[in-house]
Amino acid sequence: MRPGMKDSTLRFYKERMLRVLVHIQQHLDEPLRLDELATLACLSPHHFHHVFTGMLGESLASHIRRLRLERAACRLKLSRTPVAQIALEAGYETHEAFSRAFRGSFGVSPTQFRRRNGKARQIQVRSGVHYHADARLKGFRAARTGDKKTMTVTIKQLKPMKVAFMRHVGPYNEVGKTWERFMMFLGKEGLLGGDAQFIGICHDDPAVTPPDKIRYDACVTVDDRFQAQGEIGVQVVAGGEYAVMTHFGPYEKLGESYAKLLGQWLPRSGRNLRSTPYFEVYLNSPENTEPADLVTDLYAPLEPARGGHHACDRKD
Amino acid sequence: MPATEKIDLCKLHKDEYVSPKKPVLVRVKPAQYLSINGEGAPGDERFAACIGALYAVAFTIKMTRKFAGKQDYAVCKLEGQWFFEGDLARIPKDKWRWKLLIRTPDFVSQADRQQAVATLLGKGKTREVEEVKLERIDEGQCVQMLHVGPYDREHETIAQMQTFAEGKGLKLAGPHHDIYLSDPRRVPPQRLKTILREPVSAS
């Protein structure tokens, strides 16, 4: 890789994300669909949310919520539109809910804010992105973690892995039940041998997909002889290069590590993501391990190394 | 399936599986374990295969019983006994003799073990599963202490335990017993937690 390549990749990622941020500001009154935003960022919807959270330092949902509140603040100050109307435009159905959210962000109620002609505390965000009526956004500060210890990323070349899997559709925090049934089946069949690997593939993003629609595959590596039966399917986890980061601690905090890997490491790595799903490998069992001692490897699929440019960047 | 609570032996026998960072006397009741014997350096191929075989049998027994609607339980952490005389550091690592253990509820039977081994062999899994035994170990009175740090510094903790035992008119009778609370593949050596257990007898 030639010198400076990594900086230029970061620039590409920032340009893509800037397109998304401008689009969000121009379309605050619309539902803002995930796949549309992901397309603007040249990312698959699988990966988009984590990249966004990691780069901006806030989730997509809270970013949109905040900008709608900031726009409401502008309108309170500069217009005479009734508060109830502004609340509705900000996506709040009741005045109370709007007041609560507004006070939480600005420290005063919407009425007080208007009376004081907009004198209130400012919302502080690391990215520096705030609402502008003309959506003129020149750039933003990409979040960066100073914590080197938790940011050790290695690149691994994997062979394709044949896995038996059981599909879970429903809240992410209930995948344990599917694992229990799946392990029981595999165990009685003698398939939990010493070298079996335990893998989780999440096809949807728990942060943006309704809980009852999240698809997750509990997977265990099997040998060539294994055949699909009943609720147990067979799939192949794609080989190729992966960026791997170890997550230490409870499963509830996996999202934070994904955001670091995809939103902070990736843009500075000079690499692009492949559109196959990312996955996680569980290295110890929650059954006999305290949540703080759980160890999980996160795998993000990479395109073969080449320029920082992405085919989709050339469109505009 | 009957709605019964899952048994966790480590939580049930807290005094045996939670230790402070100073020596304490503990009476360890007789207990049943899945076990496998071996010789060689920890971390070599044979050692890794034995750990794999032990876990394979432990999970296969548990899941087969669970599938049959029998009492469920949590598979415990890995433990190990080490057999040596004098100073372990002076013995070449490839001559180290050990017995790896996973504590297992009393209601697990030899028939459960045999069935699990047959199932695993039928799937062509690790040959070592045939060597996995189910046995009772009675350690009686022991000195225990939590060791935090690399395994090759255990002798410092053992020295403290020995002084403590001698102060009570006891001597270390062996074999030395480790309960591995941390995962050595990932936890840095300085942060590894291991409960050390030394059976004692009147001196």
Side-chain angles (χ1 to χ4, degrees):
Chain A
M1 190 183 293
R2 63 168 201 270
M5 179 92 90
K6 287 191 181 180
D7 298 338
S8 70
T9 333
L10 178 59
R11 206 179 69 234
F12 283 132
Y13 274 93
K14 287 184 82 166
E15 280 169 10
R16 294 174 199 168
M17 209 44 91
L18 198 60
R19 289 202 288 269
V20 173
L21 294 172
V22 169
H23 180 89
I24 290 174
Q25 299 224 0
Q26 287 169 337
H27 300 85
L28 279 174
D29 289 316
E30 291 160 37
L32 291 164
R33 280 172 44 209
L34 174 72
D35 49 353
E36 273 174 30
L37 298 177
T39 307
L40 280 171
C42 305
L43 289 164
S44 95
H46 283 313
H47 307 130
F48 172 71
H49 179 77
H50 289 312
V51 177
F52 185 96
T53 309
M55 288 188 83
L56 271 297
E58 65 188 331
S59 74
L60 177 62
S62 50
H63 178 79
I64 294 173
R65 201 181 311 121
R66 176 170 68 79
L67 285 178
R68 284 178 177 153
L69 277 175
E70 288 184 353
R71 182 180 65 172
C74 266
R75 290 182 177 172
L76 283 167
K77 188 178 160 188
L78 302 175
S79 78
R80 300 181 144 234
T81 316
V83 177
Q85 174 68 29
I86 291 174
L88 212 59
E89 287 166 2
Y92 294 87
E93 291 194 358
T94 67
H95 184 112
E96 290 72 30
F98 175 62
S99 280
R100 202 161 42 239
F102 194 90
R103 187 186 286 277
S105 294
F106 295 94
V108 291
S109 76
T111 328
Q112 287 168 321
F113 186 86
R114 177 165 266 178
R115 213 181 298 131
R116 296 172 173 204
N117 200 20
K119 266 209 183 119
R121 74 168 186 233
Q122 291 292 306
I123 301 179
Q124 300 290 331
V125 281
R126 296 252 318 266
S127 65
V129 178
H130 291 285
Y131 173 73
H132 289 280
D134 54 4
R136 210 185 301 144
L137 195 60
K138 291 247 158 45
F140 67 98
R141 280 191 292 280
R144 174 161 228 171
T145 175
D147 193 355
K148 283 254 164 58
K149 200 179 71 195
T150 55
M151 271 292 271
T152 311
V153 176
T154 51
I155 296 192
K156 280 192 194 165
Q157 178 76 38
L158 292 193
K159 293 202 174 97
M161 290 183 286
K162 179 175 173 179
V163 295
F165 75 99
M166 191 181 270
R167 163 101 14 130
H168 165 91
V169 182
Y172 185 70
N173 59 12
E174 287 177 12
V175 300
K177 290 180 193 162
T178 302
W179 270 108
E180 288 229 348
R181 266 192 313 134
F182 185 43
M183 293 284 279
M184 187 168 74
F185 166 82
L186 294 173
K188 77 167 168 68
E189 296 286 316
L191 290 166
L192 296 180
D195 54 355
Q197 290 206 68
F198 303 92
I199 298 170
I201 303 177
C202 200
H203 296 282
D204 299 291
D205 197 310
V208 288
T209 308
D212 58 324
K213 295 219 160 56
I214 289 170
R215 294 161 303 155
Y216 169 96
D217 291 341
C219 309
V220 170
T221 49
V222 288
D223 61 24
D224 293 340
R225 292 179 296 167
F226 184 84
Q227 300 209 325
Q229 44 190 297
E231 331 174 53
I232 316 280
V234 167
Q235 61 179 303
V236 175
V237 176
E241 278 195 311
Y242 284 83
V244 186
M245 184 170 113
T246 304
H247 167 83
F248 297 94
Y251 296 144
E252 293 81 63
K253 302 232 162 148
L254 280 170
E256 291 173 20
S257 290
Y258 275 121
K260 276 188 194 162
L261 175 62
L262 297 182
Q264 296 185 28
W265 177 84
L266 181 74
R268 295 177 175 86
S269 68
R271 304 295 298 261
N272 281 303
L273 288 172
R274 255 183 297 155
S275 65
T276 55
Y278 53 83
F279 61 86
E280 51 211 36
V281 177
Y282 309 105
L283 294 167
N284 46 17
S285 156
E287 190 174 85
N288 61 12
T289 309
E290 294 299 319
D293 296 326
L294 289 169
V295 184
T296 311
D297 275 346
L298 313 183
Y299 283 73
L302 298 175
E303 274 186 2
R306 54 184 179 87
H309 228 291
H310 195 286
C312 118
D313 287 317
R314 291 184 199 123
K315 275 196 297 214
D316 41 357
Chain B
M1 206 177 292
T4 43
E5 273 294 293
K6 191 185 277 192
I7 291 176
D8 186 335
L9 292 172
C10 293
K11 295 207 169 105
L12 223 52
H13 302 278
K14 243 192 164 106
D15 49 336
E16 295 171 28
Y17 287 96
V18 178
S19 263
K21 278 200 248 181
K22 57 179 202 300
V24 286
L25 268 182
V26 179
R27 176 157 292 279
V28 180
K29 291 180 239 14
Q32 178 162 262
Y33 298 86
L34 285 165
S35 70
I36 188 163
N37 283 300
E39 187 177 300
D44 74 5
E45 221 172 282
R46 161 80 182 158
F47 192 81
C50 286
I51 293 181
L54 196 57
Y55 271 115
V57 174
F59 277 109
T60 306
I61 293 176
K62 171 200 156 97
M63 297 304 174
T64 307
R65 286 180 49 91
K66 189 173 166 181
F67 186 76
K70 295 179 186 167
Q71 175 70 54
D72 193 13
Y73 60 95
V75 170
C76 288
K77 285 190 178 288
L78 184 70
E79 307 181 31
Q81 283 182 313
W82 298 80
F83 306 93
F84 58 93
E85 275 162 26
D87 186 0
L88 186 63
R90 290 172 183 277
I91 303 169
K93 278 194 175 176
D94 58 341
K95 293 276 182 284
W96 286 7
R97 289 188 301 124
W98 34 263
K99 186 196 287 277
L100 298 172
L101 304 163
I102 291 178
R103 183 143 177 186
T104 303
D106 290 340
F107 49 70
V108 169
S109 68
Q110 293 293 350
D112 288 330
R113 182 193 60 84
Q114 282 157 3
Q115 188 191 348
V117 170
T119 308
L120 285 162
L121 287 177
K123 284 289 187 296
K125 293 288 169 185
T126 3
R127 303 295 313 169
E128 285 83 357
V129 293
E130 278 183 296
E131 299 172 45
V132 175
K133 291 187 215 130
L134 186 66
E135 63 174 314
R136 285 186 84 72
I137 298 178
D138 183 3
E139 294 176 294
Q141 198 170 42
C142 298
V143 175
Q144 276 195 182
M145 177 169 166
L146 179 67
H147 170 78
V148 181
Y151 301 129
D152 59 14
R153 300 285 286 275
E154 282 190 12
H155 59 94
E156 294 167 13
T157 302
I158 297 171
Q160 287 186 57
M161 295 164 76
Q162 184 162 10
T163 311
F164 171 82
E166 282 163 2
K168 301 223 175 273
L170 301 163
K171 64 170 185 198
L172 307 190
H176 170 80
H177 186 153
D178 284 334
I179 298 164
Y180 303 105
L181 303 182
S182 310
D183 185 338
R185 292 171 301 177
R186 294 295 164 150
V187 177
Q190 319 79 270
R191 282 170 50 200
L192 284 172
K193 286 185 187 168
T194 312
I195 295 178
L196 309 192
R197 178 185 291 171
E198 296 286 351
V200 289
S201 59
S203 57

